Amino acid sequence: MSDRSPESHRPHRAGFACFVGRPNAGKSTLTNALVGTKVAITSNRPQTTRHTVRGIVHRPDAQLVLVDTPGLHKPRTLLGERLNDVVRTTWAEVDVIGFCLPADQKLGPGDKFIAKELAGIKKTPKIAIVTKTDLVESKQLAEQLIAIQQLGAELGIEWAEIVPVSAVGDNQVQLLADLIAPMLPESPPLYPEGDLTDEPEMVMVAELIREAALEGVRDELPHSIAVVVEEMIPRENRPADRPLLDIHANVYIERPSQKGIIIGPKGSRLKEVGMKSRKHIEALLGTPVFLDLHVKVAKDWQRDPKQLRKLGF
């Protein structure tokens, strides 16, 4: 008699799933919860994500590569238009689309705008993911589930699943992975065991610095901040058991008047940004870090194609 379980006969699956939704719908937090570590920056500021971050979930039966796109929104700048292009290109290339809708906010024009775009994508399975369920009572959650079902019916979208989750409370996050896995194509793993993202380290370091810089700044600043890591080099002549990585990075803002906000009185704010981000960078890279931060002005960079290229957009 064989002791092999039925699971061992199932083919391995691997593929790409992306989370879409309006800004601040909980996409990055959900990506981090599924991967089990921080691979996407999170902030209570809308439109935080600017790069397509891939988080990789390893399971015995499947490998889910999660593509975390910027929130689709009505663009007001060239940067906004480019971010929307990133979203649409991603939708065309994935195996499953997860549409994130926060439980604590009624469906609005932004959700309907995205749903209409999704209705035009016929073949890709679409899961409606109700995020932030920890913030609402069961009655409000039930109303949101009905509203999402009706939205799909109005636009001709057949939801493959409607799943309520709380990434913060780790509620039904694994169920979501269980539901996505069978929708992926049969395939060996696409990434080596242990890889959690394919994002270059320098980009992730820049994103961690930007996340720290976003905390506590005035409302007009989040979109104006960009970070570029100029170099990451091991400090020479250090003992083998006490390595140190020197990271030199520039924080760019759009106007000279914003410089004081980022630097703070006597440099206190920039120092705090450095301390917070260094802790996350050291955890990411597994080595002590010396972080050298400078604030620079790149005038109106969100509207200038040349500056956007220089800053990696």
Side-chain angles (χ1 to χ4, degrees), residues 162-191:
I162 301 177
V163 192
V165 302
S166 167
V168 174
D170 195 24
N171 186 23
Q172 301 219 117
V173 173
Q174 286 314 307
L175 171 66
L176 178 62
D178 292 343
L179 293 169
I180 293 172
M183 299 180 191
L184 303 175
E186 290 182 21
S187 164
L190 302 168
Y191 291 89

Tab-separated table of all heavy atoms in Angstrom, residues 162-191:
chain	number	residue	atom	x	y	z
A	162	ILE	N	-15.849	36.081	-3.831
A	162	ILE	CA	-15.876	37.339	-3.067
A	162	ILE	C	-15.387	36.973	-1.674
A	162	ILE	O	-16.005	36.163	-0.983
A	162	ILE	CB	-17.290	37.963	-3.000
A	162	ILE	CG1	-17.822	38.260	-4.412
A	162	ILE	CG2	-17.273	39.237	-2.167
A	162	ILE	CD1	-19.244	38.816	-4.447
A	163	VAL	N	-14.232	37.527	-1.286
A	163	VAL	CA	-13.575	37.080	-0.044
A	163	VAL	C	-13.332	38.262	0.900
A	163	VAL	O	-12.616	39.202	0.549
A	163	VAL	CB	-12.192	36.441	-0.343
A	163	VAL	CG1	-11.664	35.731	0.892
A	163	VAL	CG2	-12.255	35.501	-1.514
A	164	PRO	N	-13.916	38.225	2.125
A	164	PRO	CA	-13.586	39.249	3.121
A	164	PRO	C	-12.282	38.876	3.831
A	164	PRO	O	-12.104	37.721	4.231
A	164	PRO	CB	-14.760	39.202	4.102
A	164	PRO	CG	-15.655	38.082	3.647
A	164	PRO	CD	-14.937	37.285	2.613
A	165	VAL	N	-11.368	39.828	3.985
A	165	VAL	CA	-10.104	39.558	4.679
A	165	VAL	C	-9.717	40.729	5.582
A	165	VAL	O	-10.160	41.861	5.373
A	165	VAL	CB	-8.916	39.309	3.697
A	165	VAL	CG1	-9.178	38.153	2.765
A	165	VAL	CG2	-8.554	40.556	2.915
A	166	SER	N	-8.893	40.428	6.564
A	166	SER	CA	-8.220	41.478	7.336
A	166	SER	C	-6.742	41.130	7.371
A	166	SER	O	-6.342	40.171	8.038
A	166	SER	CB	-8.772	41.552	8.764
A	166	SER	OG	-7.903	42.357	9.557
A	167	ALA	N	-5.944	41.899	6.632
A	167	ALA	CA	-4.499	41.648	6.606
A	167	ALA	C	-3.883	41.969	7.965
A	167	ALA	O	-2.968	41.293	8.427
A	167	ALA	CB	-3.838	42.486	5.510
A	168	VAL	N	-4.414	42.988	8.623
A	168	VAL	CA	-3.875	43.397	9.940
A	168	VAL	C	-4.190	42.329	10.981
A	168	VAL	O	-3.353	41.954	11.783
A	168	VAL	CB	-4.464	44.773	10.355
A	168	VAL	CG1	-4.046	45.132	11.767
A	168	VAL	CG2	-4.003	45.864	9.387
A	169	GLY	N	-5.424	41.808	10.959
A	169	GLY	CA	-5.815	40.775	11.927
A	169	GLY	C	-5.499	39.370	11.467
A	169	GLY	O	-5.831	38.408	12.143
A	170	ASP	N	-4.866	39.234	10.282
A	170	ASP	CA	-4.533	37.932	9.687
A	170	ASP	C	-5.767	37.023	9.618
A	170	ASP	O	-5.728	35.850	9.933
A	170	ASP	CB	-3.405	37.254	10.479
A	170	ASP	CG	-2.790	36.085	9.687
A	170	ASP	OD1	-2.908	36.106	8.438
A	170	ASP	OD2	-2.234	35.159	10.295
A	171	ASN	N	-6.878	37.612	9.202
A	171	ASN	CA	-8.129	36.877	9.111
A	171	ASN	C	-8.439	36.539	7.651
A	171	ASN	O	-8.587	37.427	6.819
A	171	ASN	CB	-9.258	37.729	9.715
A	171	ASN	CG	-10.568	36.979	9.783
A	171	ASN	OD1	-10.589	35.742	9.791
A	171	ASN	ND2	-11.666	37.696	9.812
A	172	GLN	N	-8.497	35.248	7.338
A	172	GLN	CA	-8.824	34.723	6.001
A	172	GLN	C	-7.771	35.036	4.933
A	172	GLN	O	-8.037	34.897	3.745
A	172	GLN	CB	-10.208	35.200	5.533
A	172	GLN	CG	-11.341	34.794	6.468
A	172	GLN	CD	-12.608	34.388	5.734
A	172	GLN	OE1	-13.019	33.234	5.842
A	172	GLN	NE2	-13.222	35.294	5.011
A	173	VAL	N	-6.571	35.458	5.359
A	173	VAL	CA	-5.496	35.740	4.394
A	173	VAL	C	-5.054	34.438	3.728
A	173	VAL	O	-4.876	34.379	2.509
A	173	VAL	CB	-4.305	36.454	5.089
A	173	VAL	CG1	-3.118	36.584	4.139
A	173	VAL	CG2	-4.727	37.837	5.575
A	174	GLN	N	-4.899	33.373	4.531
A	174	GLN	CA	-4.496	32.081	3.959
A	174	GLN	C	-5.595	31.482	3.081
A	174	GLN	O	-5.317	30.841	2.070
A	174	GLN	CB	-4.094	31.090	5.066
A	174	GLN	CG	-2.756	31.399	5.697
A	174	GLN	CD	-1.668	31.715	4.667
A	174	GLN	OE1	-1.419	30.954	3.730
A	174	GLN	NE2	-1.018	32.874	4.816
A	175	LEU	N	-6.857	31.727	3.461
A	175	LEU	CA	-7.976	31.264	2.628
A	175	LEU	C	-7.872	31.899	1.235
A	175	LEU	O	-8.097	31.229	0.221
A	175	LEU	CB	-9.312	31.635	3.275
A	175	LEU	CG	-10.550	31.390	2.391
A	175	LEU	CD1	-10.758	29.913	2.120
A	175	LEU	CD2	-11.804	32.004	3.005
A	176	LEU	N	-7.525	33.185	1.195
A	176	LEU	CA	-7.378	33.872	-0.092
A	176	LEU	C	-6.315	33.185	-0.955
A	176	LEU	O	-6.528	32.924	-2.145
A	176	LEU	CB	-7.016	35.343	0.137
A	176	LEU	CG	-6.791	36.190	-1.116
A	176	LEU	CD1	-8.047	36.258	-1.972
A	176	LEU	CD2	-6.318	37.591	-0.746
A	177	ALA	N	-5.171	32.837	-0.335
A	177	ALA	CA	-4.107	32.121	-1.064
A	177	ALA	C	-4.612	30.763	-1.551
A	177	ALA	O	-4.327	30.347	-2.681
A	177	ALA	CB	-2.883	31.948	-0.168
A	178	ASP	N	-5.401	30.073	-0.698
A	178	ASP	CA	-5.973	28.763	-1.077
A	178	ASP	C	-6.893	28.880	-2.297
A	178	ASP	O	-6.968	27.966	-3.116
A	178	ASP	CB	-6.781	28.167	0.086
A	178	ASP	CG	-5.899	27.772	1.265
A	178	ASP	OD1	-4.673	27.653	1.079
A	178	ASP	OD2	-6.455	27.595	2.373
A	179	LEU	N	-7.599	30.002	-2.400
A	179	LEU	CA	-8.540	30.199	-3.507
A	179	LEU	C	-7.829	30.609	-4.796
A	179	LEU	O	-8.250	30.241	-5.893
A	179	LEU	CB	-9.585	31.259	-3.126
A	179	LEU	CG	-10.555	30.872	-2.003
A	179	LEU	CD1	-11.356	32.075	-1.543
A	179	LEU	CD2	-11.493	29.757	-2.449
A	180	ILE	N	-6.745	31.377	-4.655
A	180	ILE	CA	-6.015	31.827	-5.847
A	180	ILE	C	-5.227	30.671	-6.472
A	180	ILE	O	-5.184	30.527	-7.698
A	180	ILE	CB	-5.059	33.000	-5.499
A	180	ILE	CG1	-5.852	34.250	-5.109
A	180	ILE	CG2	-4.128	33.323	-6.673
A	180	ILE	CD1	-4.990	35.397	-4.566
A	181	ALA	N	-4.604	29.832	-5.627
A	181	ALA	CA	-3.689	28.784	-6.120
A	181	ALA	C	-4.274	27.914	-7.249
A	181	ALA	O	-3.624	27.731	-8.278
A	181	ALA	CB	-3.209	27.918	-4.953
A	182	PRO	N	-5.513	27.383	-7.126
A	182	PRO	CA	-6.032	26.526	-8.205
A	182	PRO	C	-6.287	27.274	-9.516
A	182	PRO	O	-6.474	26.649	-10.558
A	182	PRO	CB	-7.355	25.999	-7.635
A	182	PRO	CG	-7.315	26.289	-6.181
A	182	PRO	CD	-6.448	27.470	-5.999
A	183	MET	N	-6.338	28.604	-9.470
A	183	MET	CA	-6.582	29.400	-10.688
A	183	MET	C	-5.308	29.635	-11.498
A	183	MET	O	-5.355	30.159	-12.604
A	183	MET	CB	-7.203	30.757	-10.321
A	183	MET	CG	-8.539	30.644	-9.629
A	183	MET	SD	-9.206	32.281	-9.237
A	183	MET	CE	-10.576	31.832	-8.174
A	184	LEU	N	-4.161	29.257	-10.931
A	184	LEU	CA	-2.888	29.473	-11.618
A	184	LEU	C	-2.611	28.311	-12.574
A	184	LEU	O	-3.079	27.199	-12.361
A	184	LEU	CB	-1.743	29.576	-10.591
A	184	LEU	CG	-1.891	30.663	-9.527
A	184	LEU	CD1	-0.752	30.563	-8.509
A	184	LEU	CD2	-1.936	32.049	-10.146
A	185	PRO	N	-1.826	28.556	-13.627
A	185	PRO	CA	-1.517	27.468	-14.560
A	185	PRO	C	-0.577	26.426	-13.953
A	185	PRO	O	0.194	26.760	-13.035
A	185	PRO	CB	-0.830	28.182	-15.734
A	185	PRO	CG	-0.372	29.490	-15.204
A	185	PRO	CD	-1.251	29.851	-14.044
A	186	GLU	N	-0.642	25.204	-14.447
A	186	GLU	CA	0.310	24.177	-14.016
A	186	GLU	C	1.700	24.597	-14.456
A	186	GLU	O	1.920	24.956	-15.611
A	186	GLU	CB	-0.046	22.823	-14.648
A	186	GLU	CG	-1.315	22.224	-14.088
A	186	GLU	CD	-1.630	20.855	-14.682
A	186	GLU	OE1	-0.679	20.217	-15.212
A	186	GLU	OE2	-2.801	20.437	-14.619
A	187	SER	N	2.640	24.569	-13.505
A	187	SER	CA	3.994	25.058	-13.804
A	187	SER	C	4.908	24.721	-12.645
A	187	SER	O	4.475	24.716	-11.490
A	187	SER	CB	3.953	26.584	-14.003
A	187	SER	OG	5.257	27.140	-13.936
A	188	PRO	N	6.194	24.456	-12.922
A	188	PRO	CA	7.147	24.364	-11.815
A	188	PRO	C	7.327	25.763	-11.203
A	188	PRO	O	6.899	26.756	-11.809
A	188	PRO	CB	8.441	23.894	-12.497
A	188	PRO	CG	8.293	24.301	-13.924
A	188	PRO	CD	6.829	24.269	-14.234
A	189	PRO	N	7.960	25.875	-10.035
A	189	PRO	CA	8.177	27.204	-9.441
A	189	PRO	C	8.922	28.136	-10.400
A	189	PRO	O	9.798	27.700	-11.142
A	189	PRO	CB	9.024	26.900	-8.189
A	189	PRO	CG	8.713	25.479	-7.857
A	189	PRO	CD	8.468	24.795	-9.156
A	190	LEU	N	8.540	29.399	-10.385
A	190	LEU	CA	9.149	30.394	-11.275
A	190	LEU	C	10.349	31.069	-10.610
A	190	LEU	O	11.188	31.657	-11.285
A	190	LEU	CB	8.108	31.459	-11.651
A	190	LEU	CG	6.841	30.918	-12.325
A	190	LEU	CD1	5.763	31.996	-12.390
A	190	LEU	CD2	7.152	30.402	-13.727
A	191	TYR	N	10.405	31.009	-9.280
A	191	TYR	CA	11.503	31.636	-8.528
A	191	TYR	C	12.073	30.623	-7.538
A	191	TYR	O	11.345	29.759	-7.048
A	191	TYR	CB	10.992	32.859	-7.752
A	191	TYR	CG	10.606	34.024	-8.631
A	191	TYR	CD1	9.313	34.144	-9.126
A	191	TYR	CD2	11.539	35.001	-8.996
A	191	TYR	CE1	8.945	35.208	-9.945
A	191	TYR	CE2	11.187	36.065	-9.805
A	191	TYR	CZ	9.892	36.163	-10.272
A	191	TYR	OH	9.541	37.211	-11.085
